[in-house]
């Protein structure tokens, strides 16, 4: 077939290239040195981007709206200063002392530390509906008339009719979840303070968005440096000051991922090094395997530096992952070289034959893996897309680096007097498994086939978690402290924001949200809604007249005739009816500034505060659906802005794209192997162990209490790409040595096992990451490689033996 002839042509060209490098090592190594230096310089430009808004393309409205919000409002979220460990009065004094100093910092717009309780409490009647104020007037009038009638000298009571009640609790309960009540907080405490936990909060509003990580680092650094210059000893011996808030959380997450990358890369390198020493029993083959891997990784990151200039949450770990995958090529090639030398071939014959056969298989496996990774490029989710493209390019660069560098390095080592002994490359090739398996292949195939089939049938039940902790580590100290701040506030620091153009639009938006909330009932995800228009009630003149009428009624009642409880209510109503109407400028600054942009404007904001835990992806998607596509007159729609909306788009995208990405990876792998190997049956045979392994892995997840999530699902196409080469290598060797199955399984099986181990090491290093999503990715891939090792090294050879014997 044409494909078979093309594959044979590839084998011949790879053999010639390897022989040329072995015979003339210095020119080859010189080109490697120059290109690697250039790649190193390009890779030194790389930066890490881990912000949620960077996970989606700019075409998404939720991302573009963040830019619009930045233009109008500047920063979203706060730099939060928390004082802890002092008596309540000392905490209040600390807040009063520190607030003006923080506001004087150049990057701070304003600082909030008090609640406007008195202002809203004294004007509570203005925030009621006019009908409710009139109902209060009616009840008081009815009570006044009853009192006056009983005091009339000619009045003779005919029965024991009780006094008309003055209980207004039913009316008050209608407004207990209003924005005014929520902003006011505890009426007995005007500071943002928890006396029991001895904690006070100051909210410093920045000038820019936290999505600008350079600015976030600068802002947090300035706050931290300023606090370190202050003497807080006057507030108590146990008093401490901490930083949290959106900006601090961004920086801590960035630092965590950077540390995780360093840890994972170090652990992966050490594990691979230790295994190679064990595998080869010598130092020279270890160096010969690792040198091309280092070259290929630098080429890859040099390419990333030129094209992207940055790495994201997933691609930051590609060094550890590709390092493990690239090592596999060297193991196979040196193992085959040693086997040929042990058979008595000369050095040049061994190099040519090893790279001609095994090298071509390495190209096929790299191409297949690249196709599997490249399938992820169809995703709009940036981490998946960039991971797929970079991993695909890396696989091809690594195999090219190996084919270009390894023969030359081997030739150079021999020329300077280093000797590569055959036993260093093929030690233990006659494995016990290879000797034992042919004795009872049918029993082995049945014993493993039944549980694998049952697990595969159970694969549709693979559990999936919507926990967003996989994208952000909620256990970081700043994240935990931020949750405490939200508890003290009584609502989220970062509501969903709806950008409006006028006070009229504010009211229209609030009416639509209220209608949606009523329609959903208990299923609604909204706690309360606020805007400046809401805080400056309409019809104040009419309400003021009704309040004055209530006041006149009260003045006609003799306070001394009332019992103690009624006197308290009487005094409250006299206070509530006293304030005159008020305007937007009268709203306390601590509240008003939350609705004002960087410049004076009629444009406004409607703040939507969630009632659900937004760490749950299901809640996030429900909240986003409840506040999206609000309609205004003229056909214009407004949308909500915030990280919740970005998260919702991420969750929708991953959920929608996961099946086609996985399906595309399987299809691309099959087509690539069919075209390169020349026969569909051979391609299916090579792919079968991988498909069985993936299905069994999914069925095994409930058994080991492991769940798929929005981040570790990338392991599925990655496992497809990294495990399929075992079948390619095994069947390729059996094509040349069908008569000696034991020898092929001993030599190639050991190389496959070593390749799976080193590939697993790259992913397994993520287990040591503090980031929960990356750690779960490491655990899932370890399990996947373990299942594949059982299938590839035991079940698949057993099936091949059974089929081969039936066919004679």
């Amino acid at each position: 077939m044409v494909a078979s002839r093309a594959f044979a042509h590839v084998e011949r060209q790879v053999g010639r290239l390897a022989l040329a490098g072995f015979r003339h090592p210095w020119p080859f190594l010189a080109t490697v040195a120059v290109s690697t230096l250039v790649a190193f310089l390009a890779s030194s430009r790389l930066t890490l981007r881990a912000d949620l808004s960077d996970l989606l393309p700019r075409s998404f409205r939720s991302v573009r709206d963040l830019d619009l919000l930045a233009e109008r409002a500047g920063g979203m979220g706060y730099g939060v200063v928390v004082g802890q460990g002092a008596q309540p009065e000392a905490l209040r004094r600390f807040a009063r002392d520190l607030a003006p100093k923080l506001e004087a910092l150049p990057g701070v717009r304003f600082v909030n530390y008090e609640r406007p309780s008195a202002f809203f409490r004294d004007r509570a009647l203005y925030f009621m509906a006019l009908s409710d104020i009139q109902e209060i007037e009616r009840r008081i009038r009815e009570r006044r008339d009853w009192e006056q009638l009983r005091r009339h000298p000619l009045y003779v009571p005919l029965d024991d009719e009780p006094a008309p009640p003055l209980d207004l609790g039913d009316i008050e309960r209608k407004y207990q979840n209003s924005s005014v009540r929520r902003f006011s907080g505890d009426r007995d405490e005007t500071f943002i303070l928890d006396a029991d936990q001895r904690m006070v909060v100051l909210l410093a509003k920045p000038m820019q968005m936290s999505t600008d990580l350079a600015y976030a680092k600068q802002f947090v650094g300035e706050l931290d440096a300023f606090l370190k210059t202050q003497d807080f000893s006057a507030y108590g011996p146990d008093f401490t000051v901490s930083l949290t808030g959106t900006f601090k959380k961004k920086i801590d997450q960035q630092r965590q991922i950077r540390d995780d990358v360093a840890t994972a890369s170090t652990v992966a390198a050490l594990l691979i090094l230790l295994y190679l020493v064990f595998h080869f029993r010598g130092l020279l083959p270890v160096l010969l395997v690792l040198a091309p891997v280092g070259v290929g990784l630098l080429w890859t990151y040099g390419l990333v530096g030129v094209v992207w200039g940055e790495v994201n949450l997933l691609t930051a770990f590609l060094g550890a992952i590709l390092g493990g995958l690239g090592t596999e090529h060297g193991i196979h090639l040196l193992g085959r070289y040693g086997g040929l030398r042990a058979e008595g071939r000369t050095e040049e014959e061994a190099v040519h034959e090893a790279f001609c056969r095994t090298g071509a298989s390495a190209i096929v496996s790299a191409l297949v893996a690249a196709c599997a990774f490249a399938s992820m490029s169809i995703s709009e989710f940036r981490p998946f897309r960039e991971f797929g493209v970079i991993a695909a390019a890396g696989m091809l660069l690594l195999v090219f680096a190996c084919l270009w560098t390894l023969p030359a390095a081997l030739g150079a080592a021999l020329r300077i007097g280093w000797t590569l002994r055959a036993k260093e490359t093929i030690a233990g090739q006659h494995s016990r498994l290879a000797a034992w398996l042919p004795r009872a292949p049918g029993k082995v195939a049945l014993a493993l086939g039944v549980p694998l089939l049952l697990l595969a049938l159970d694969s549709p039940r693979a559990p999936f978690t919507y926990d967003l902790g996989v994208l952000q580590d909620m256990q970081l100290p700043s994240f935990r402290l931020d949750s405490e701040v939200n508890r003290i506030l009584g609502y989220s620091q970062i509501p969903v924001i709806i950008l409006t153009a006028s006070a009229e639009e504010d009211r229209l938006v609030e009416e639509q949200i209220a209608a949606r909330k009523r329609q959903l009932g208990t299923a609604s995800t909204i706690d309360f809604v606020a805007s400046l228009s809401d805080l400056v009630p309409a019809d104040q003149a009419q309400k003021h007249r009704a309040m004055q009428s209530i006041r006149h009624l009260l003045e006609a009642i003799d306070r001394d005739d009332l019992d103690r409880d009624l006197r308290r209510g009487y005094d409250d109503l006299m206070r509530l009816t006293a304030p005159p109407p008020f305007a937007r400028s009268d709203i306390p600054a601590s509240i008003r500034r939350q609705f004002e942009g960087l410049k004076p404007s009629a444009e406004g904001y409607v703040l939507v505060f969630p009632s659900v835990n937004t760490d749950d992806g299901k809640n996030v998607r429900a909240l986003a659906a409840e506040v999206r596509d609000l309609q205004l007159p003229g056909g214009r729609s407004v949308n909500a802005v915030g990280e919740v909306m970005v998260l919702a788009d991420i969750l929708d995208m991953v959920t929608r794209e996961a099946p086609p990405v996985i399906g595309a990876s399987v299809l691309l792998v099959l087509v690539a192997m069919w075209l390169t190997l020349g026969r569909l049956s051979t391609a299916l045979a090579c792919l079968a162990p991988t498909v069985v392994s993936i299905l069994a892995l999914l069925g095994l997840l409930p058994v080991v209490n492991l769940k798929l999530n929005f981040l570790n699902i990338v392991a599925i196409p990655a496992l497809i790409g990294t495990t399929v080469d075992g079948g390619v290598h095994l069947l390729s060797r059996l094509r040349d040595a069908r008569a000696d199955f034991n020898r092929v399984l001993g030599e190639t099986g050991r190389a496959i096992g070593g390749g799976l181990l080193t590939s697993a090491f790259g992913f397994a290093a993520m287990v040591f990451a503090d980031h929960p999503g990356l750690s779960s990715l490491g655990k899932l891939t370890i399990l996947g490689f373990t299942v594949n090792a059982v299938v590839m090294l035991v079940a698949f050879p057993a099936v091949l033996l059974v089929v081969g014997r039936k066919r004679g």
Side-chain angles (χ1 to χ4, degrees), residues 57 79 84 202 218 274 418 481 572 741 745 752 768 774 805:
Q84 303 177 77
L202 295 91
Q218 175 189 339
L274 290 174
W418 290 0
L481 185 59
D572 285 342
F741 184 91
L745 185 59
I752 291 171
F768 298 94
L774 296 171
R805 289 178 181 178

Side-chain angles (χ1 to χ4, degrees), residues 80 125 180 184 219 250 295 299 344 384 445-446 450 562 604 678 688 714:
V80 181
L125 291 179
V180 170
S184 298
F219 179 70
K250 301 281 187 188
V295 170
W299 287 354
F384 286 5
L446 182 63
V450 171
L562 303 176
V714 73

Side-chain angles (χ1 to χ4, degrees), residues 333-395:
L333 289 166
L334 275 187
R336 185 62 185 134
Y337 170 84
L340 292 168
R341 290 286 287 144
E343 293 173 3
R345 305 286 185 91
T346 65
E347 292 170 350
E348 287 195 358
E349 288 174 342
V351 167
H352 181 271
E353 180 68 15
F355 280 81
C356 179
R357 299 295 187 188
T358 306
S361 296
I363 291 178
V364 172
S365 62
L367 180 62
V368 167
C371 288
F373 284 124
S375 67
M376 299 168 64
S377 65
I378 67 175
S379 173
E380 290 187 274
F381 189 41
R382 281 189 62 184
F384 286 5
R385 185 178 69 249
E386 292 179 4
F387 180 89
V389 173
I390 296 172
M395 289 299 298

